[in-house]
Amino acid sequence: MKDFEDHLEIRALLERYCDGVNQRDAAIWGNTWAENAVWELPHLEMSGITGRDNIVAAWLDAMQLFPFVNMMAQPGFISIEGDHAVMRSYTSEVAVMQDGTQIEPRGEYEDECIRENGEWKFSLRRFRVLHGE
């Protein structure tokens, strides 16, 4: 039963992440990250952004480039061992850039999650573009 509950909590983590993006809410989005997390977006030459505060600052800078963003994601795979989990999730996004150009990337995140202070958080998110952008 605990494994089922952990799966639901990790899915809810991914849902909160998307909600934070869609609401442009740094508090919601930032709260999905572990204190010493790492965020990697190699296609944007953003690798190894370490620490929640640095990740949120980078996200706030990036969000200024897009007056509109809508992100949806779903897990494809979740494996849990104690307080550590691995997840592969797929994203579908629509974003409008400052010049009005619309992009619609589809991507994949390789995620690691940890239970930190009783809550599941992302400890590593590594993004890969599958199509678009």
Side-chain angles (χ1 to χ4, degrees):
M1 188 64 155
K2 182 61 178 155
D3 193 48
F4 178 74
E5 291 172 6
D6 286 334
H7 271 81
L8 288 178
E9 289 175 19
I10 291 168
R11 290 180 72 98
L13 173 67
L14 184 61
E15 291 165 357
R16 281 194 313 277
Y17 183 97
C18 291
D19 187 48
V21 170
N22 296 335
Q23 295 299 312
R24 304 179 78 86
D25 189 316
I28 293 170
W29 190 84
N31 194 43
T32 66
W33 292 95
E35 187 66 34
N36 296 310
V38 176
W39 190 28
E40 297 188 349
L41 303 167
H43 70 292
L44 297 177
E45 297 180 10
M46 293 171 62
S47 292
I49 302 169
T50 303
R52 181 185 312 145
D53 292 344
N54 293 329
I55 290 168
V56 171
W59 181 76
L60 287 168
D61 285 345
M63 290 297 281
Q64 291 180 30
L65 304 174
F66 305 100
F68 174 81
V69 177
N70 180 264
M71 178 183 194
M72 305 301 278
Q74 67 181 41
F77 171 82
I78 300 173
S79 176
I80 302 166
E81 290 188 24
D83 290 339
H84 182 266
V86 175
M87 175 171 55
R88 181 173 47 253
S89 60
Y90 298 96
T91 64
S92 178
E93 296 180 71
V94 175
V96 176
M97 300 172 72
Q98 290 291 342
D99 67 2
T101 302
Q102 182 171 300
I103 59 174
E104 298 183 24
R106 304 301 189 264
E108 175 184 273
Y109 266 105
E110 293 292 336
D111 297 319
E112 293 184 19
C113 305
I114 59 169
R115 194 182 330 260
E116 185 175 80
N117 299 319
E119 292 185 275
W120 285 102
K121 305 283 185 172
F122 291 111
S123 58
L124 171 66
R125 298 210 83 199
R126 182 178 296 120
F127 184 73
R128 177 170 74 101
V129 174
L130 298 176
H131 180 77
E133 198 174 14

